Structures are given as C-alpha cells and as structure tokens.
Amino acid sequence: MDKRNWKIIYENYSGAEKKALDLISAEMGAVICRDSGVYTLYVMPCEKEGAKLDKNTVVIGTYDKSRTVQKYVRRDEIPQNGYLVKVTDNAENGDLKTVIITGLTPINVFYAAADFCDDYLPTAAKVSGGLRTDAEAFDVKIPDYVSASAPKTEKRSIFTWGHPINDFKKYIDNATRCRINQLIIWNDHLPLNAKEIMDYAHEYNMELIWGFAWGWDVNGSEGIDMHNLEAVKEKIIKNFKENYLGCGDGIYFQSFTERDEDRIDGVLIAEAVVNFVNDVAAEIYKIQPDIHIQFGLHATSVKDHIEYFEKVDKRIEIVWEDCGVFPYHYLPKVEKAEDFEKTFDFTKKIINLRDRGKTGLVYKGLMTMDWTKFAHQSGRYVMGRSSDETAENDRKMLSPIWRHYTADWLVYGRYVHSFTERLHKEGSEKINLNTAAQLDGGIFFPFALLSQIMWNSDEPYEKILSKVANRKCVKMN
C-alpha cells in the first residue's frame, strides 16, 4: 500500500475541530510525509466536507454537521458526552480505509483525534520479526478499530502555579490531549497576558479559573486577625474588582485552613471560615452573579468539624485537599491499607455533605514545587512566554525527579484507580476530580495515567497502564 495515498476531509477548521485536524495532520504526517534518512518533503492533503473518498481518508467533524460522518456512523453509536473513532473499509472501494473522527461537540471531536493518534496508531503498526515499527504503520492496510468513549467524571481539572509554566500554549495543548477540561492557575498577581491565556483555553472549550488568596497570602495565614476579618474582606473585593472581574470563567481561593490545629487565637477555624467565605462570596455575587467560585479547603484543620460546611453558599464549589493518605498525599505511596480505607471513608462523608455538582477532590502524588526554594511573584508578569533556554533548563532539572514519580506510580497507581472506581460506584460522576501539580515540560507518565483514570475508571487498571505507556506523546521521565 502507498503510504502517501492518504488525505483528510474536514467539516470545520476552527476551535477544537481545528486542533483535531492539526493534531492528526502532525502525527500522521510524521510517518507519511517523510522518509527516514532521505530528503523528502510531502504534505498531508486536506479537503473540505463533500470531497470524494477516492483515497485512504480521515474524516473529521461533528456528527450533526458532517454528511460523510453520517454515511459511516449512526448517531446512537456515539455515547452521550463522548466521542467515536471508527476505522473501517471504504464503502465504495474495499482496498481503501476510512477513518471517522467524530463526536456531538467540537471538543469531543478533538478527544477522538487524540484517541486515534495516541491509542490507535501505536497499535496499528505491523509486527515484523517480533518488532512493532511505528514508521511502517501505513505501509500496509491498517486494521479496523472502534473506540466509543465517554467520561465517567464530568469535570477533570488541574490546579497549578502560574510562574513555572514556560509555554502556556503547549501546557494547555498537553492538558487537553489528556482530556482535562478545567484549568485552575494560582498566582500572587494576575499575569499581564491573562486574557490571551483565557482565549487560548477557550479554543478547547476549557474552563479557566484564576486562583488568588483570601486571607492566605505570601505569609500564609500567620498573623491574620481572626477577630477583624472585615479588613481582609475589603482587600479581597478590591483585588477582584481591579484584576479578576470579567477575566476568566471563575475564581479559586484558599483561606486560613492549611494548618494542623483546628483553632486560631481560640477561634474555631471551620466555623469562622464558613462565615467568612459566605460573607465575601455574597459581595462578589452581587458584582458578578454568574461567576463560578471555588473554595480550596484543606481538611487538616477542619476534619473533625465538617458539619459546618453544609452551610457554605450552595453556589460555591468546595474543592477539598489533604484529606488523608495517597491519592491526597504529595508522595505517591500507600504504607498501610487501613489508612487508605479511612481516607476513602472520609471522602464519602464529604461528597455527601452537599449537592454532587458542588464538590471537588484534589489528587496529589505528582510533581510539585520545592517549597524550600519557592519564591513568590513580586508583581504582575508575562506567563508562559519563556525562552527555549529557560524551558530546557527546567526540563533537565525536573526530568530525573519525574523518574522517581514514575517508579512509584507504576507500583501504587492501582490505588488511585481503585479509589476512583469506588467513587464512581458511589454515584460521584459530578464530582470535580482535580490534581495539584507542576506539569510543565510535557505529558509525563504519572499525569497521563491519572488523567486516563479520571476519564474512565471502568477500564481494568492493566489496560489503562498499557494504553498510557504505549502513547508516543508520553514521557517516562
């Protein structure tokens, strides 16, 4: 088979569908448009919807808008909120193949493209002499394939810090390729290019949330006057009006709960923080009624008083962290099974406190910041526009650290799978599953594994492990 007898037919070249076409053109083109060691320069032909399927063809488009897709796929083959990839024989010429990349929404078309590139193509290459060679994938007729997939978790998010991100576009590209649909970026000061970052995230239909402090600033909660929180409230409202109003899809905050003790100056933290948060949020809702507000809550100081959080304004999403051992702990290890079970039991309590759509859980165990060397931002800055030299410096620094995370996730990742699978059996599809991590520099194996578990924990762990390890885009360190 002539590996260059391929083309793409597309319905729309904008937004997430543009990203889908770009991804497939790049990944297939790496094999089809070049010959190893030979100076050959070919391109991947792209034709608009309505073109003939006179070659091996990849068809990209939302189901309701593409008649070509409708010719090969029934609507009920596409799962609700999901996507479909179908590799089959051409209806008119059995010697040719047709690849259908579709969903009911543009972002699901992109997820289908990622499935095709990352999960199908690595397995499509022929086996010769006991070896599977990616470069020979299109030298023969590629095998049939069907993948109809939908998320078990509706909201899959990342909490990250802004200033370690060297290239915000690559960061968002990589996150979306792993089917993340919400990004929470914490900063001491809103980046100067915040709108540009927001606009790029929206190309993927990704929700962008800006994080900033509510009584938890560069000095933590030390020195806060628990008897005069009105002054803190005024500072927050001023910051919101001047910087965050109208920028992004919502705001995330942390307050004074990241402590081991349950009181400050004799004041019960759980009770005080609920009253404080409701008071500040009420003012913000007056200014912007439809804003999405996330309350980042550390369980360490309130775990014995969770009943207070039933009283949090129902419009606010509580995002819980530090709720026990891994998957909530920075180190991806489980030392005692009984501690793991206690952690799950506590999680069941907090997800049943409020409406299911208003709770988030923060998984950890991925790359974080070195808090012994951490430096706060001294003012506004340009985020994610670093030089190649800076990005390479950080890659070299972090690569050996990622190796340790990968080793631990290979052993303990099954605990995260079990934890998430059990959450889903509790009926927690609407829970926001989040990971707090520093993920700049590529798609690293632990994050790729976690994001796939978030997407669909129904798959057996061994299948997820193999699928993720086979992805060409995934870095083991």
Side-chain angles (χ1 to χ4, degrees):
M1 176 175 282
D2 179 6
K3 73 174 185 178
R4 295 197 173 95
N5 188 32
W6 280 90
K7 70 179 182 181
I8 295 173
I9 291 178
Y10 66 97
E11 190 276 321
N12 175 42
Y13 191 60
S14 66
E17 290 172 277
K18 174 185 182 297
K19 301 293 187 183
L21 194 158
D22 290 348
L23 179 62
I24 289 175
S25 179
E27 294 297 329
M28 289 185 68
V31 178
I32 290 172
C33 299
R34 297 292 186 270
D35 297 315
S36 180
V38 180
Y39 191 71
T40 52
L41 301 173
Y42 291 87
V43 296
M44 190 79 173
C46 300
E47 300 177 8
K48 198 78 170 80
E49 170 73 26
K52 293 182 179 180
L53 276 69
D54 52 0
K55 294 183 177 182
N56 297 299
T57 304
V58 180
V59 182
I60 304 171
T62 54
Y63 181 83
D64 291 335
K65 294 183 178 180
S66 172
R67 296 200 175 195
T68 309
V69 168
Q70 293 168 14
K71 181 177 179 180
Y72 283 86
V73 173
R74 299 188 319 275
R75 202 176 197 277
D76 62 8
E77 291 182 76
I78 306 170
Q80 185 70 26
N81 299 321
Y83 65 80
L84 176 71
V85 181
K86 184 181 243 185
V87 181
T88 187
D89 287 343
N90 182 299
E92 279 79 38
N93 184 344
D95 292 330
L96 300 175
K97 300 296 287 191
T98 300
V99 179
I100 303 297
I101 306 293
T102 192
L104 301 181
T105 63
I107 188 56
N108 280 312
V109 173
F110 178 82
Y111 294 155
D115 182 306
F116 175 71
C117 293
D118 296 336
D119 297 334
Y120 171 73
L121 289 183
T123 65
K126 68 177 182 179
V127 177
S128 178
L131 299 175
R132 190 187 299 274
T133 307
D134 291 349
E136 298 175 356
F138 296 100
D139 290 349
V140 297
K141 191 176 180 181
I142 60 175
D144 287 353
Y145 176 76
V146 176
S147 178
S149 186
K152 289 290 292 184
T153 306
E154 289 184 12
K155 191 65 68 177
R156 306 164 302 280
S157 66
I158 296 172
F159 171 96
T160 192
W161 303 267
H163 50 307
I165 297 176
N166 288 312
D167 185 329
F168 75 82
K169 289 187 176 182
K170 285 184 180 179
Y171 192 102
I172 292 171
D173 290 344
N174 290 337
T176 314
R177 192 163 179 171
C178 293
R179 303 179 184 91
I180 296 297
N181 59 3
Q182 183 189 85
L183 182 59
I184 306 165
I185 307 177
W186 179 275
N187 288 284
D188 297 321
H189 304 275
L190 186 69
L192 287 170
N193 58 333
K195 185 180 184 304
E196 181 187 22
I197 297 164
M198 176 188 71
D199 290 344
Y200 193 75
H202 286 174
E203 290 186 30
Y204 285 109
N205 198 36
M206 176 181 282
E207 185 180 19
L208 184 68
I209 308 288
W210 294 110
F212 67 100
W214 286 20
W216 187 100
D217 53 20
V218 294
N219 297 312
S221 56
E222 298 298 332
I224 190 168
D225 185 352
M226 297 294 289
H227 304 284
N228 184 24
L229 293 176
E230 186 66 25
V232 182
K233 171 186 169 182
E234 291 174 3
K235 181 180 177 182
I236 293 165
I237 298 301
K238 183 175 185 291
N239 188 15
F240 174 75
K241 287 179 177 179
E242 292 179 354
N243 296 300
Y244 294 95
L245 179 60
C247 184
D249 301 300
I251 55 173
Y252 167 99
F253 68 89
Q254 295 179 9
S255 199
F256 40 84
T257 61
E258 192 173 8
R259 312 168 69 92
D260 292 327
E261 65 274 20
D262 67 356
R263 284 171 168 77
I264 301 174
D265 295 335
V267 177
L268 187 66
I269 291 173
E271 183 177 18
V273 79
V274 168
N275 292 334
F276 173 67
V277 165
N278 284 343
D279 191 27
V280 177
E283 291 300 314
I284 290 179
Y285 283 127
K286 288 178 185 177
I287 300 166
Q288 188 176 345
D290 60 346
I291 191 171
H292 182 182
I293 298 179
Q294 293 180 320
F295 171 14
L297 175 59
H298 298 83
T300 47
S301 62
V302 302
K303 59 183 180 294
D304 296 324
H305 310 283
I306 64 172
E307 67 277 5
Y308 284 96
F309 296 94
E310 294 181 71
K311 302 174 185 177
V312 172
D313 188 311
K314 299 301 182 184
R315 295 169 290 182
I316 298 172
E317 176 186 348
I318 302 179
V319 183
W320 291 80
E321 62 177 293
D322 297 342
C323 298
V325 300
F326 186 61
Y328 295 112
H329 198 275
Y330 279 119
L331 295 179
K333 293 184 178 181
V334 175
E335 303 290 352
K336 297 180 181 179
E338 58 266 32
D339 291 339
F340 182 76
E341 290 303 319
K342 287 179 183 177
T343 298
F344 186 77
D345 289 342
F346 180 76
T347 301
K348 285 198 296 183
K349 291 178 182 178
I350 61 178
I351 65 175
N352 287 314
L353 272 177
R354 314 169 76 234
D355 293 341
R356 292 300 178 91
K358 294 297 184 180
T359 302
L361 304 174
V362 180
Y363 287 179
K364 295 184 179 178
L366 300 176
M367 181 74 71
T368 184
M369 307 289 280
D370 183 346
W371 300 112
T372 66
K373 301 180 178 66
F374 179 79
H376 283 282
Q377 303 155 4
S378 58
R380 300 191 71 179
Y381 71 109
V382 177
M383 186 191 117
R385 290 285 191 186
S386 302
S387 67
D388 291 343
E389 290 82 1
T390 299
E392 179 62 13
N393 172 79
D394 292 357
R395 187 198 66 78
K396 288 181 178 178
M397 174 181 63
L398 297 178
S399 180
I401 303 174
W402 271 112
R403 185 177 68 250
H404 297 298
Y405 282 104
T406 295
D408 286 338
W409 273 82
L410 286 168
V411 176
Y412 297 102
R414 66 179 62 254
Y415 283 94
V416 183
H417 179 263
S418 169
F419 195 93
T420 308
E421 185 179 34
R422 290 165 66 183
L423 275 179
H424 288 150
K425 288 179 180 177
E426 292 287 325
S428 59
E429 286 85 354
K430 291 187 180 297
I431 295 295
N432 179 350
L433 287 185
N434 173 278
T435 182
Q438 204 282 78
L439 299 170
D440 189 70
I443 301 174
F444 294 93
F445 174 80
F447 169 62
L449 181 62
L450 173 57
S451 61
Q452 187 62 34
I453 290 170
M454 287 178 172
W455 174 264
N456 186 4
S457 63
D458 283 351
E459 289 184 305
Y461 179 69
E462 290 74 16
K463 182 178 179 180
I464 294 174
L465 196 69
S466 175
K467 177 186 290 187
V468 171
N470 262 311
R471 291 176 179 169
K472 187 176 70 171
C473 62
V474 169
K475 298 181 178 181
M476 300 305 284
N477 71 290

